[in-house]
Amino acid sequence: MRQQAHRTRLHIFLQVTFVLFSACSVLEFCPSTAATPQRKQNTTSRSKPDRRNASPPNKKPWWQHAVFYEIYPRSFKDSDGDGIGDLNGITSKLDYLAGLGIDAIWITPFYPSPQIDFGYDVSDYENIDPQFGTLADFDRLVAEAHKRRIKVIVDFVLNHTSDQHPFFVAARASRTSPYRDWYIWRDPKPDGSPPNNWSSSFGPVAWTLDAKTNQYYYHRFYSQQPELNWNNPAVEKRMFETVRFWMKRGVDGFRLDAVNFLFEDSQFRDNPVLPELRPGSTTEYQQELKYNRDLPEIHDVLLRLRSFTDAYDPNRILIGEAYVPQTAELMKYYGPANNELQLPFNFFLVMGKVRTNLDASIFRSVINESEKALQGRPTTYVLSNHDIPRAFDRYGDGKNNDQIAKLFATLLLTLRGSPFIYYGEEIGMVTTEPKTIEEVRDPVGKRYFPANKGRDGERTPMQWDASAGAGFTSGQPWLKIPPSARRHNVAIADKDSSSILNFYKRLIRLRRNSPGLLDGDYRSIGDDPHILLYRRRTPKHTMLVALNMSNQSRSVRLDADTTKSSNRLRVVLSNQPTSERKLIENDVRLAPFEAVIIEGDTDQDTD
Ligand SMILES: [Ca+2]
Ligand SMILES: [Ca+2]
């Protein structure tokens, strides 16, 4: 996946992030908690009933109640000591994920690839890159995941292939190749320059001249990622066959990469040029992606793709990566009758001011706007992923980072929608950027260093223990192990009842057993500038969430409607020691950066 349209704009915020960044906090800010200490993890024999993926009473589809976990396979677990994570490594950690309470994993690309964009340049859609394993390893991963009731989502890179894919090799061989029209070719302008002004996400120009046939091919991303021509029905047919291939192997869904770039303007008109320079460049200006993003033809393909997966099995889902500027545009990806993507990613919490500002008013306004547009549709808010610096340090103040990480865990797991946890968020991993250009592995970082150091910082190896390889590898890791691994790792966190990890476990368990959090509607309460307060409610169950986004102790009053219509209000979870009373009359008292969840029974008569 890549930043797409917003890449350059997001980098402005990245720069802000760099300023805010402070060295990883290794201070322990939650030395004790009155919450029940976590039972020593035993992932294969849970004593509590496990409702993961069980059909809830109202028969909602599995994915609406699922907790997802994103795995960047290069960085999760290396099973053979070559310094690169692999499929067998993931399989070896499924018990850990089951213990955390995960219902589904999304694995970013592991297909054969020259690895120019670390797997998002696919040279064979129906195989496994040898550095990640074999098809047999994949089948074993799926079988072992399913044994633990963990669903498996794979990435589907449908907008472009690698330039080493046999289709493109054939396409560029001659203008009369049967595969020529599988890609997007245009003649040079009379002066030999590219056919229009479109820029690439990763460089100045989205066109590369094929000298042999004297035509340019289009690539929104790296030049090694030529774009497929989705106007050609043969492309769609072949790519849908790939979807069937993986469904037959048992995958439960697809995350569609860069899906809003499938089509281009038929006249290839120039995009409007914006006044802002691209970060890291003194000559390249940003563009409004008017003619190569979010074109209406995309929805015809998505309607057909959804029919295709539904006909195979309606439980297989489509998740879409579409960074769109407005909520109204996101709505289109659900389809006119909710018959396109089940889950277009909701990126509005990582765009604009909310991306780096720990500010209750801003969060309230972004979430409210989103909820208003969504009108109860399923959704998934995103706080971090392999293209976005980690929330831990985006919002951390350098002193209370662990506490703030728990606050954001509470937000992610109590908002309406299916949460996606990015690997390592649950142990407080910190964005750790390369210090020198020689250390940079992400090509975009090599190009625009140091203004843009690329995405290595959020892709560092998972921190399993305090050993030299962090339990990730016995060899030389492909990216350096962050210094924070010595204190923030699974082995230490597992033993500490007040760790971020154990807080996630308690939250996930609470969520799984809470009708209000699973199915309740969302209503924002009040307009406190420091405390984000909201209610999730079903006819029988109320959950209130209060998040103090400030470094001061504060209290907030519950509204009369909630207190009148909800019985037996009680605090069920806090990221602070709970020895003092949090709820006095209708006031919720909050310590600095405290997150509190209050449960109540809904009184139907007064509802
Ligand atoms: Ca390996
Ligand atoms: Ca395209």
Side-chain angles (χ1 to χ4, degrees), residues 159 184 218 220 227-228 230 261-264 292:
N159 176 61
I184 298 167
Y218 171 60
R220 169 65 192 159
E227 302 242 336
L228 285 162
W230 277 85
F261 286 97
L262 279 198
F263 283 86
E264 294 74 29
N292 55 351

PDB file of all heavy atoms in Angstrom, residues 159 184 218 220 227-228 230 261-264 292, ligand 2:
ATOM      1  N   ASN A 159      -4.118  -2.613  -9.143  1.00  0.00           N
ATOM      2  CA  ASN A 159      -3.967  -1.430  -9.996  1.00  0.00           C
ATOM      3  C   ASN A 159      -2.775  -1.555 -10.936  1.00  0.00           C
ATOM      4  O   ASN A 159      -2.768  -0.988 -12.019  1.00  0.00           O
ATOM      5  CB  ASN A 159      -3.808  -0.185  -9.122  1.00  0.00           C
ATOM      6  CG  ASN A 159      -3.538   1.066  -9.930  1.00  0.00           C
ATOM      7  OD1 ASN A 159      -4.365   1.464 -10.754  1.00  0.00           O
ATOM      8  ND2 ASN A 159      -2.374   1.661  -9.741  1.00  0.00           N
ATOM      9  N   ILE A 184      -1.093   0.668 -20.015  1.00  0.00           N
ATOM     10  CA  ILE A 184      -1.532   1.971 -20.505  1.00  0.00           C
ATOM     11  C   ILE A 184      -0.380   2.642 -21.250  1.00  0.00           C
ATOM     12  O   ILE A 184       0.599   3.066 -20.627  1.00  0.00           O
ATOM     13  CB  ILE A 184      -2.029   2.825 -19.325  1.00  0.00           C
ATOM     14  CG1 ILE A 184      -3.247   2.112 -18.692  1.00  0.00           C
ATOM     15  CG2 ILE A 184      -2.397   4.233 -19.790  1.00  0.00           C
ATOM     16  CD1 ILE A 184      -3.637   2.664 -17.345  1.00  0.00           C
ATOM     17  N   TYR A 218       2.261   4.227 -18.268  1.00  0.00           N
ATOM     18  CA  TYR A 218       1.828   5.006 -17.105  1.00  0.00           C
ATOM     19  C   TYR A 218       2.046   4.223 -15.819  1.00  0.00           C
ATOM     20  O   TYR A 218       1.773   3.028 -15.752  1.00  0.00           O
ATOM     21  CB  TYR A 218       0.346   5.362 -17.262  1.00  0.00           C
ATOM     22  CG  TYR A 218      -0.279   5.973 -16.027  1.00  0.00           C
ATOM     23  CD1 TYR A 218       0.206   7.171 -15.493  1.00  0.00           C
ATOM     24  CD2 TYR A 218      -1.361   5.358 -15.388  1.00  0.00           C
ATOM     25  CE1 TYR A 218      -0.367   7.724 -14.352  1.00  0.00           C
ATOM     26  CE2 TYR A 218      -1.940   5.910 -14.266  1.00  0.00           C
ATOM     27  CZ  TYR A 218      -1.436   7.085 -13.741  1.00  0.00           C
ATOM     28  OH  TYR A 218      -2.002   7.635 -12.620  1.00  0.00           O
ATOM     29  N   ARG A 220       1.425   5.284 -11.676  1.00  0.00           N
ATOM     30  CA  ARG A 220       1.172   6.242 -10.599  1.00  0.00           C
ATOM     31  C   ARG A 220       2.242   6.109  -9.507  1.00  0.00           C
ATOM     32  O   ARG A 220       2.558   7.053  -8.820  1.00  0.00           O
ATOM     33  CB  ARG A 220      -0.230   5.997 -10.028  1.00  0.00           C
ATOM     34  CG  ARG A 220      -0.554   6.728  -8.748  1.00  0.00           C
ATOM     35  CD  ARG A 220      -0.588   8.231  -8.928  1.00  0.00           C
ATOM     36  NE  ARG A 220      -0.621   8.896  -7.621  1.00  0.00           N
ATOM     37  CZ  ARG A 220      -0.257  10.153  -7.404  1.00  0.00           C
ATOM     38  NH1 ARG A 220       0.154  10.909  -8.397  1.00  0.00           N
ATOM     39  NH2 ARG A 220      -0.319  10.675  -6.209  1.00  0.00           N
ATOM     40  N   GLU A 227       0.882   0.349 -14.746  1.00  0.00           N
ATOM     41  CA  GLU A 227      -0.540   0.244 -14.406  1.00  0.00           C
ATOM     42  C   GLU A 227      -1.280  -0.642 -15.401  1.00  0.00           C
ATOM     43  O   GLU A 227      -1.120  -0.502 -16.622  1.00  0.00           O
ATOM     44  CB  GLU A 227      -1.195   1.629 -14.420  1.00  0.00           C
ATOM     45  CG  GLU A 227      -0.544   2.580 -13.478  1.00  0.00           C
ATOM     46  CD  GLU A 227      -1.452   3.084 -12.369  1.00  0.00           C
ATOM     47  OE1 GLU A 227      -2.684   3.081 -12.524  1.00  0.00           O
ATOM     48  OE2 GLU A 227      -0.889   3.505 -11.342  1.00  0.00           O
ATOM     49  N   LEU A 228      -2.101  -1.509 -14.857  1.00  0.00           N
ATOM     50  CA  LEU A 228      -2.962  -2.338 -15.707  1.00  0.00           C
ATOM     51  C   LEU A 228      -4.054  -1.479 -16.334  1.00  0.00           C
ATOM     52  O   LEU A 228      -4.502  -0.498 -15.741  1.00  0.00           O
ATOM     53  CB  LEU A 228      -3.587  -3.461 -14.883  1.00  0.00           C
ATOM     54  CG  LEU A 228      -2.631  -4.608 -14.525  1.00  0.00           C
ATOM     55  CD1 LEU A 228      -3.201  -5.426 -13.363  1.00  0.00           C
ATOM     56  CD2 LEU A 228      -2.378  -5.512 -15.736  1.00  0.00           C
ATOM     57  N   TRP A 230      -7.604  -1.297 -16.934  1.00  0.00           N
ATOM     58  CA  TRP A 230      -8.860  -1.931 -16.497  1.00  0.00           C
ATOM     59  C   TRP A 230      -9.999  -1.697 -17.495  1.00  0.00           C
ATOM     60  O   TRP A 230     -11.097  -2.207 -17.308  1.00  0.00           O
ATOM     61  CB  TRP A 230      -9.216  -1.466 -15.087  1.00  0.00           C
ATOM     62  CG  TRP A 230      -8.477  -2.280 -14.066  1.00  0.00           C
ATOM     63  CD1 TRP A 230      -7.214  -2.067 -13.613  1.00  0.00           C
ATOM     64  CD2 TRP A 230      -8.934  -3.477 -13.425  1.00  0.00           C
ATOM     65  NE1 TRP A 230      -6.854  -3.054 -12.718  1.00  0.00           N
ATOM     66  CE2 TRP A 230      -7.891  -3.922 -12.585  1.00  0.00           C
ATOM     67  CE3 TRP A 230     -10.116  -4.219 -13.473  1.00  0.00           C
ATOM     68  CZ2 TRP A 230      -8.008  -5.079 -11.793  1.00  0.00           C
ATOM     69  CZ3 TRP A 230     -10.240  -5.359 -12.679  1.00  0.00           C
ATOM     70  CH2 TRP A 230      -9.187  -5.784 -11.857  1.00  0.00           C
ATOM     71  N   PHE A 261      -7.283   4.181  -7.688  1.00  0.00           N
ATOM     72  CA  PHE A 261      -6.482   4.566  -8.862  1.00  0.00           C
ATOM     73  C   PHE A 261      -6.695   3.645 -10.055  1.00  0.00           C
ATOM     74  O   PHE A 261      -5.910   3.661 -11.005  1.00  0.00           O
ATOM     75  CB  PHE A 261      -4.992   4.600  -8.492  1.00  0.00           C
ATOM     76  CG  PHE A 261      -4.625   5.785  -7.654  1.00  0.00           C
ATOM     77  CD1 PHE A 261      -4.545   5.697  -6.282  1.00  0.00           C
ATOM     78  CD2 PHE A 261      -4.388   7.016  -8.258  1.00  0.00           C
ATOM     79  CE1 PHE A 261      -4.230   6.807  -5.512  1.00  0.00           C
ATOM     80  CE2 PHE A 261      -4.076   8.132  -7.492  1.00  0.00           C
ATOM     81  CZ  PHE A 261      -3.989   8.026  -6.116  1.00  0.00           C
ATOM     82  N   LEU A 262      -7.759   2.834 -10.020  1.00  0.00           N
ATOM     83  CA  LEU A 262      -7.932   1.834 -11.086  1.00  0.00           C
ATOM     84  C   LEU A 262      -8.075   2.454 -12.473  1.00  0.00           C
ATOM     85  O   LEU A 262      -7.583   1.916 -13.450  1.00  0.00           O
ATOM     86  CB  LEU A 262      -9.178   0.978 -10.828  1.00  0.00           C
ATOM     87  CG  LEU A 262      -9.067  -0.183  -9.850  1.00  0.00           C
ATOM     88  CD1 LEU A 262     -10.226  -1.138 -10.057  1.00  0.00           C
ATOM     89  CD2 LEU A 262      -7.749  -0.907  -9.960  1.00  0.00           C
ATOM     90  N   PHE A 263      -8.761   3.584 -12.554  1.00  0.00           N
ATOM     91  CA  PHE A 263      -9.043   4.147 -13.886  1.00  0.00           C
ATOM     92  C   PHE A 263      -8.422   5.529 -14.065  1.00  0.00           C
ATOM     93  O   PHE A 263      -8.183   6.252 -13.090  1.00  0.00           O
ATOM     94  CB  PHE A 263     -10.550   4.231 -14.124  1.00  0.00           C
ATOM     95  CG  PHE A 263     -11.153   2.903 -14.471  1.00  0.00           C
ATOM     96  CD1 PHE A 263     -11.557   2.028 -13.470  1.00  0.00           C
ATOM     97  CD2 PHE A 263     -11.281   2.511 -15.801  1.00  0.00           C
ATOM     98  CE1 PHE A 263     -12.094   0.788 -13.785  1.00  0.00           C
ATOM     99  CE2 PHE A 263     -11.810   1.272 -16.119  1.00  0.00           C
ATOM    100  CZ  PHE A 263     -12.225   0.409 -15.110  1.00  0.00           C
ATOM    101  N   GLU A 264      -8.207   5.880 -15.329  1.00  0.00           N
ATOM    102  CA  GLU A 264      -7.643   7.165 -15.695  1.00  0.00           C
ATOM    103  C   GLU A 264      -8.575   7.840 -16.694  1.00  0.00           C
ATOM    104  O   GLU A 264      -9.329   7.175 -17.406  1.00  0.00           O
ATOM    105  CB  GLU A 264      -6.258   6.990 -16.335  1.00  0.00           C
ATOM    106  CG  GLU A 264      -5.205   6.452 -15.376  1.00  0.00           C
ATOM    107  CD  GLU A 264      -5.368   4.962 -15.061  1.00  0.00           C
ATOM    108  OE1 GLU A 264      -5.885   4.233 -15.933  1.00  0.00           O
ATOM    109  OE2 GLU A 264      -5.013   4.543 -13.953  1.00  0.00           O
ATOM    110  N   ASN A 292      -6.894  11.225 -12.446  1.00  0.00           N
ATOM    111  CA  ASN A 292      -6.399   9.847 -12.304  1.00  0.00           C
ATOM    112  C   ASN A 292      -6.724   9.222 -10.949  1.00  0.00           C
ATOM    113  O   ASN A 292      -6.103   8.263 -10.542  1.00  0.00           O
ATOM    114  CB  ASN A 292      -4.888   9.763 -12.585  1.00  0.00           C
ATOM    115  CG  ASN A 292      -4.062  10.703 -11.727  1.00  0.00           C
ATOM    116  OD1 ASN A 292      -4.617  11.555 -11.019  1.00  0.00           O
ATOM    117  ND2 ASN A 292      -2.758  10.552 -11.791  1.00  0.00           N
TER     118      ASN A 292
HETATM  119 CA    CA B   2      -4.755   2.762 -12.666  1.00  0.00          CA
END
